[in-house]
């Protein structure tokens, strides 16, 4: 944390699956304003990480639901969270049908000869977006996944979601080279 505190001109997104350790650490040492505390939640079994994150004392709290492997249901809310990121898994292992079913938000359409979002799993992401709106949380949909991250695009219901919280300290935007590259290639 000393480096983070010494460089307030930068933002640090710290993402972990060890939410209990993050919570314990935040109780012992104040997190600087440029420390974004985040946890990965890939399925319903790990929703407990959300409660841990809510108890962390941080200016920005975010959740990465990537890779999203399960329908999270309705028994949670994003109150106290600033940002939610969703995304599907990518990699050559998704060419196998059984991996698409277990780990993908996509299916391979043999007629179109490309990966497309799985309609059932699109509902999972829509529900997460709805939960974000109910709690006034920024929503960022990174990718549907496939053999490459951009294989099935990024659009949800014809729209890309690039929302990001206002950075503490007054910066208005993040210089996101990844988004600029995707947009330059026409990948939505």
């Amino acid at each position: 944390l000393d480096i983070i505190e010494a460089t307030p001109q930068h933002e640090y997104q710290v993402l972990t699956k060890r939410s209990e350790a993050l919570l314990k650490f935040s109780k012992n040492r104040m997190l600087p304003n440029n420390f974004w505390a985040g946890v990965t939640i890939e399925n319903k079994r790990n929703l407990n990480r959300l409660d841990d994150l809510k108890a962390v004392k941080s200016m920005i709290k975010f959740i990465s639901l990537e890779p999203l492997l399960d329908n999270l249901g309705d028994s949670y809310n994003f109150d106290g969270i600033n940002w939610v990121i969703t995304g599907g898994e990518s990699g050559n292992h998704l060419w196998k049908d059984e991996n698409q079913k277990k780990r993908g938000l996509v299916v391979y359409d043999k007629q179109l000869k490309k990966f497309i979002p799985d309609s059932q799993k699109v509902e999972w992401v829509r529900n997460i977006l709805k939960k974000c709106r109910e709690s006034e949380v920024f929503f960022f949909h990174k990718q549907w996944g496939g053999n490459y991250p951009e294989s099935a695009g990024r659009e949800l219901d014809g729209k890309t979601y690039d929302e990001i919280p206002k950075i503490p300290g007054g910066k208005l935007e993040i210089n996101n080279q990844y988004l600029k590259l995707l947009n330059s290639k026409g990948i939505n």
Side-chain angles (χ1 to χ4, degrees):
L1 274 186
D2 294 334
I3 299 287
I4 295 173
E5 289 172 337
T7 54
Q9 71 275 22
H10 299 294
E11 301 297 320
Y12 295 87
Q13 297 175 353
V14 180
L15 181 65
T16 184
K17 291 180 180 178
R18 299 179 60 216
S19 58
E20 292 173 349
L22 176 63
L23 176 57
K24 183 178 178 184
F25 185 82
S26 75
K27 288 180 177 179
N28 294 324
R29 183 161 178 193
M30 187 171 170
L31 301 176
N33 288 348
N34 59 334
F35 181 107
W36 294 32
V39 298
T40 298
I41 300 172
E42 54 278 63
N43 53 38
K44 196 182 293 186
R45 187 181 74 223
N46 293 312
L47 268 174
N48 62 300
R49 295 177 187 161
L50 175 58
D51 292 327
D52 290 341
L53 181 62
K54 287 179 178 185
V56 170
K57 293 180 182 170
S58 179
M59 288 287 291
I60 299 287
K61 298 176 198 177
F62 71 98
I63 298 167
S64 175
L65 300 170
E66 183 185 18
L68 184 60
L69 302 176
D70 192 9
N71 182 356
L72 299 182
D74 284 315
S75 65
Y76 65 95
N77 65 60
F78 292 127
D79 295 347
I81 303 300
N82 304 93
W83 192 28
V84 171
I85 304 161
T86 57
E89 191 163 56
S90 59
N92 285 329
H93 64 288
L94 289 177
W95 283 109
K96 294 182 179 177
D97 289 342
E98 64 269 16
N99 289 338
Q100 289 174 35
K101 287 181 182 108
K102 272 203 278 192
R103 301 196 59 86
L105 293 181
V106 295
V107 293
Y108 187 75
D109 186 305
K110 292 177 179 152
Q111 287 183 327
L112 296 174
K113 297 183 180 177
K114 67 179 191 172
F115 283 96
I116 60 170
D118 180 321
S119 60
Q120 178 185 0
K121 296 174 181 177
V122 168
E123 289 301 319
W124 301 355
V125 178
R126 282 186 185 126
N127 190 53
I128 292 164
L129 173 60
K130 178 179 157 252
K131 294 274 191 183
C132 286
R133 295 300 181 247
E134 290 170 359
S135 296
E136 298 181 3
V137 172
F138 291 95
F139 177 76
F140 186 103
H141 182 63
K142 186 175 172 186
Q143 67 186 31
W144 288 108
N147 59 323
Y148 295 102
E150 62 274 8
S151 295
R154 302 182 53 238
E155 288 186 359
L156 171 62
D157 298 325
K159 180 179 176 183
T160 56
Y161 289 88
D162 298 330
E163 300 168 4
I164 190 165
K166 184 173 184 242
I167 299 169
K171 293 182 200 170
L172 296 178
E173 68 178 59
I174 289 179
N175 183 11
N176 191 320
Q177 296 302 319
Y178 175 73
L179 285 179
K180 287 180 183 175
L181 175 67
L182 290 178
N183 289 333
S184 73
K185 291 183 175 187
I187 299 169
N188 304 18

